[in-house]
Amino acid sequence: MSDNLKIVALAGGVGGAKLADGLAQCLSSDQLTIIVNTGDDFNHLGLSISPDLDTVCYTLAGLANPQTGWGRKDESWRTLQEVKRLDGADWFNLGDLDLATHLVRTQRIQEGQTLSEITSDFCRRWGVDVPVYPMSDTPVRTFIHTKDGRRMPFQEYFVKEQCIPELTSIELMGIEKARAPEKALIALQQADCVIFCPSNPFVSIDPILAVPDIKHCIQNKKILAVSPLIGGKALKGPAAKMFRELGFDPNAAQVAKHYQSILSFFILDEKDKEQIPFIEGWGIICEAMNIFMPDRITRKRLARKVLSFLEKNI
Ligand code: GDP
Ligand code: CA
């Protein structure tokens, strides 16, 4: 099954990594490429941190913390405790094993290597076969504009302020100059279908789609999206809250509508199947499945169903 399909999956962090892992369990490394959001990247304590990239790579490597979905399993926190004692910025969770990733990445970036080169090398060492690329080798930084007039770097909004401030708009600094890695663009050109993993549309998928080379490459591609909302709620994070604050109902149909101009296929949860007629009315072929992925088995099961749906419909 799916022996010939070539897929590029776009992913943010925790939600994206789950389906990416399911797809990696079903497809060979020359059938699947994963492109990851880097709008969340930032510098902290002198380190270059790429939260979504690390979540995806740790998940594919089987190194991720299964409780949180981000960070490493079997983690310890001694360095962060000492950072706190020294009155350093301790609001961003950095475990001891995770810190090793940031230390080595930071050094290599300072030596002039690209983020995609570094990521490929880390993946090889972690035993990840599937190619994983950052959306851009030049920095893109997401800023959140809030109702109380602030312009907050994404991680300050997301982690330090726990997404509490009301958002009015999202800015992607550096997006005009962003350059996708050449190999990611080749994979996109060769892909039979691009899958939007169930990631936050506004701050995980939209930044990837806004990279000029990527935007150009996905024109005329078949695109399938899996809803990150189930029963009107996000399983984690601010996706539903963002829909509301930007003036939309948080539901699966709104996710499909958000991508309407480029979307061919949409997968929503069985709980939301009454929304299918609306979505099909917009010319999008839609199917309901169980899209909740609490573990590796359910990720593989959903990926397999999505791939057989594609084989029938593409
Ligand atoms: P972040 O960068 O870590 O915030 O992660 P993403 O943007 O990739 O994913 C966040 C989204 O993942 C949220 O809107 C969640 O509702 C969604 N999500 C998390 N787990 C699941 C799951 O098991 N199934 C589905 N369909 N969505 C999920
Ligand atoms: Ca993220």
Side-chain angles (χ1 to χ4, degrees), residues 2 57 85 96 100 107 125 135 150 194 198 258 264 299:
S2 320
C57 294
R85 189 155 81 139
D96 299 331
Q107 188 205 0
R125 289 166 195 276
M135 69 187 200
R150 288 183 290 165
V194 178
H258 182 80
S264 306
R299 291 173 197 164

Side-chain angles (χ1 to χ4, degrees), residues 221-236:
K221 285 281 161 192
K222 295 279 184 196
I223 298 178
L224 176 147
V226 176
S227 177
L229 301 181
I230 301 180
K233 294 199 175 82
L235 290 149
K236 185 195 154 281

Side-chain angles (χ1 to χ4, degrees), residues 17-31:
K18 290 183 185 179
L19 187 63
D21 184 35
L23 291 166
Q25 292 181 63
C26 297
L27 296 170
S28 68
S29 56
D30 47 46
Q31 290 180 282

Side-chain angles (χ1 to χ4, degrees), residues 12-14 37 40 51-52 55 154-155 158 200 203-204:
V14 171
N37 172 43
D40 294 17
D52 286 354
T55 295
F154 182 73
Q155 294 302 336
F158 193 68
N200 185 311
V203 291
S204 291

